[in-house]
Amino acid sequence: MPESSAPDRNLALEMVRVTEAAALASTPWVGRGEKESADGAAVNAMRSVLDVVAMNGTVIIGEGEKDHAPMLFNGEHVGDGTGPQVDIAVDPIEGTTPTAMGRSGAMSVIAVAGSGSMFFPGPIVYMDKLATGPDGAEAVSLELTPRENIVELARVRHCKTSEITVAILDRPRHAALIDEVRGAGARIYLIGDGDVAAAILTSLPSSNIDMLLGVGGSPEAVIAAAGLQCLDGAIQVRLWPRDDLERQRAVDAGYDLDRILDTSDLVNSQDCFFAATGITDSELLRGVRTRRGEAITHSIVMRSRSKTVRTIEAVHRVEKLKNFQLIP
């Protein structure tokens, strides 16, 4: 990306206001069993705050369109039209089911990078993924088997395979993968919904998760790649068509289904921004807390150029949020 088109300030600090708004708006819907209502509230709040950010943004990954929410569709222009031109990937609620059911693991997340830098997965909804931290970035590969990747990661970390923990989405399609990982001697951390947080955790020193494996959402892979750019972590993916029709659509659109894409293929920018705010408690973030007319949020904010990682706890006045129509 030409330096002249790079963002000239830390947009992540403005993006955290966006994820805070989405998390706060969805909180009244936690545990109420209404995924669409929660997602709609989060999308509306996210969109309203994005509109006042000084940037000229284009939504490349828009979860609103995927989940039939009212806004934030792919190709939509956001921001006030001034400032840098950027690509945006959003997930107003990463984990709509945990939100609706009152379970752990839900958060609001956004990633921003220079214009033209984000990979658009087209018709492919899922990708086969491998993510790990900086020390394992050069040792692991999707060209290896899961067992071989675990052995290689243990080798570079000078530890036993029994000390490696692998995060995997808890899905029937991963039964054989889970057996192979356990057969290699590694521990498994099963994820209920959404794997962005797990991908990020592979690169945080305070985390016990060492690797992410398995098939998950394509939008989440792009968002995770932006976060891992900030942490010097790595993600590799291969497009994973669900059926012959999706495969043919991807081939017709010019996608190489055999190619392994790495972090820079997914987000090719030296200036990435990542922000996430917890909705319910998770390994990465605490969920929204409410007390005596206040709401407390917990967020993580990162920028790739400086490698700065911030955690932010913010206290919000509920009456002010209602005045701004950010919560019902």
Side-chain angles (χ1 to χ4, degrees), residues 89-278:
V90 300
D91 198 343
I93 300 182
E94 158 86 336
T96 52
T97 297
T99 300
M101 303 307 294
R103 298 173 184 159
S104 62
M107 66 180 186
S108 176
V109 61
I110 189 168
V112 178
S115 180
S117 65
M118 284 188 177
F119 178 80
F120 176 58
I124 302 297
V125 176
Y126 290 101
M127 294 176 175
D128 190 16
K129 306 177 186 180
L130 165 62
T132 192
D135 54 355
E138 300 299 323
V140 300
S141 170
L142 276 179
E143 293 180 339
L144 302 177
T145 67
R147 176 186 290 272
E148 290 170 336
N149 278 315
I150 291 166
V151 170
E152 283 300 299
L153 186 58
R155 178 184 63 80
V156 298
R157 290 192 172 181
H158 306 288
C159 69
K160 300 176 181 178
T161 58
S162 59
E163 298 176 67
I164 299 296
T165 300
V166 181
I168 301 174
L169 275 167
D170 188 7
R171 299 290 186 271
R173 63 177 177 265
H174 289 147
L177 172 61
I178 289 171
D179 288 343
E180 183 171 357
V181 169
R182 286 179 174 153
R187 297 180 295 234
I188 288 179
Y189 179 84
L190 286 178
I191 313 165
D193 290 88
D195 56 12
V196 172
I200 298 301
L201 284 166
T202 64
S203 296
L204 291 178
S206 59
S207 167
N208 290 322
I209 296 176
D210 304 296
M211 186 186 300
L212 168 72
L213 287 174
V215 175
S218 298
E220 289 82 356
V222 178
I223 294 172
L228 290 170
Q229 289 272 26
C230 303
L231 296 165
D232 285 333
I235 184 169
Q236 296 179 26
V237 303
R238 187 186 286 115
L239 300 177
W240 194 81
R242 292 173 294 177
D243 51 39
D244 290 340
L245 178 59
E246 190 169 287
R247 176 181 295 275
Q248 190 59 53
R249 289 175 61 197
V251 171
D252 291 344
Y255 288 90
D256 183 351
L257 300 181
D258 296 321
R259 181 186 174 194
I260 295 175
L261 304 171
D262 62 20
T263 314
S264 60
D265 291 319
L266 296 177
V267 183
N268 186 20
S269 174
Q270 298 301 310
D271 216 1
C272 300
F273 307 91
F274 177 97
T277 301

Side-chain angles (χ1 to χ4, degrees), residues 271-284:
D271 216 1
C272 300
F273 307 91
F274 177 97
T277 301
I279 298 172
T280 61
D281 288 347
S282 69
E283 291 292 319
L284 180 63

Side-chain angles (χ1 to χ4, degrees), residues 23-32 327-328:
L24 289 163
S26 63
T27 295
W29 298 101
V30 170
R32 297 186 180 275
I327 61 172

